Amino acid sequence: MLIVLFILFHVPAMAVGLSVEPGRVLFYAFVTFYLSGTAIALMGLPQGAGVFLLRGYEVAALVSAFLGVLAFLRVPGLEALLWSESRAFAFFKDPNVFGAFLVPAFILALARWEQEGGRRFWTALLLYVGILSSLSRGAWVNAAVSVLGWWLLRPWKRIWVFVVFVLLVGFAAVYAFAFPESLLVERLGLKSYDADRFSTQEQALRLALERPLGYGPGLSEILLSYATHSTYVRLLFEAGWMGFGTWLLLMGVSLVWAVYQAFRQRSLWHEIYLASLLGILVESLVIDTIHWRHLWLLLGSIWAKYASPVPHYPR
């Protein structure tokens, strides 16, 4: 129901935007509606089909991570999978999407490692290195939030996750001190273009207060001359107050439902969905994620058949 309202609240903004750039507005709105419809369709899938879909996602992430890491290591013939000859992005639009796409599969790999041990460690390691090879600050934060969220769901049972997380942070600090000129360290600081992003967000927020119905889907880059690089700012500016509010409500209700399934129904699948969605929502502060396919896949999976519980680890 909330997804339908989210779509409907785009209509007034579309009416406003059609007078500015009709082609851009219609295309952007179509993609948004198509992804929303995909999530609704996923909600009708039986639990078994959803599990099968997630496993397919895992395979796609592993293949992408493998090729991305090889490209990052400069394996001949894979140069086309590097962004600006330095950042892995495999078959995705850019490194930010590539890195973020691997995060839910990484959480799934951790769950499998916890359950099965042994060989699952190598799956988790490949995905972890794949996320690093994207050199995406947003993906790194996404992964950190997702891992911490997954740990906090069972803090005593998963104390090993926290220990490993602290060790990795410590290793990263030592590496940064030892190799201050490396690509990984170079990506940690603020960039010159960050100032443009922040100023655009400030401008978008100021203009959004002047037009509650919004300026039209996809018009941020045209009216502001720069992307907002924030899902929340983009929605407030383009879809208006009601579209933005409905999105926040949809995300909040979905998180609450995932928590309920994880704790009351003991659904381990929903622990994975919850942790992954948390990571994306935090990254959405600094990246436009509204058209990320895996975001809508997670939303649809959380509510699939009203999320009948799966009281065991995925096998």
Side-chain angles (χ1 to χ4, degrees), residues 46 49 64 69 77 103 118 138 154 165 172 176 207 214 222 249 278 289 298 301 310:
S64 299
V69 170
V103 174
R154 313 282 178 189
F165 181 84
L207 292 174
I222 295 174
L249 186 58
L278 277 174
T289 63
L298 286 171
S301 299
V310 181

Side-chain angles (χ1 to χ4, degrees), residues 173-214:
V174 172
Y175 181 86
F177 180 78
F179 304 100
E181 303 300 322
S182 69
L183 281 173
L184 289 173
V185 176
E186 190 270 336
R187 287 294 300 168
L188 290 175
L190 289 174
K191 305 301 173 187
S192 58
Y193 53 76
D194 288 328
D196 294 328
R197 293 180 177 184
F198 297 144
S199 63
T200 300
Q201 291 170 8
E202 180 183 358
Q203 180 187 8
L205 290 173
R206 185 174 63 253
L207 292 174
L209 296 177
E210 300 174 3
R211 187 173 292 180
L213 292 180

Side-chain angles (χ1 to χ4, degrees), residues 95-106:
N96 294 320
V97 183
F98 166 67
F101 180 84
L102 301 183
V103 174
F106 178 56

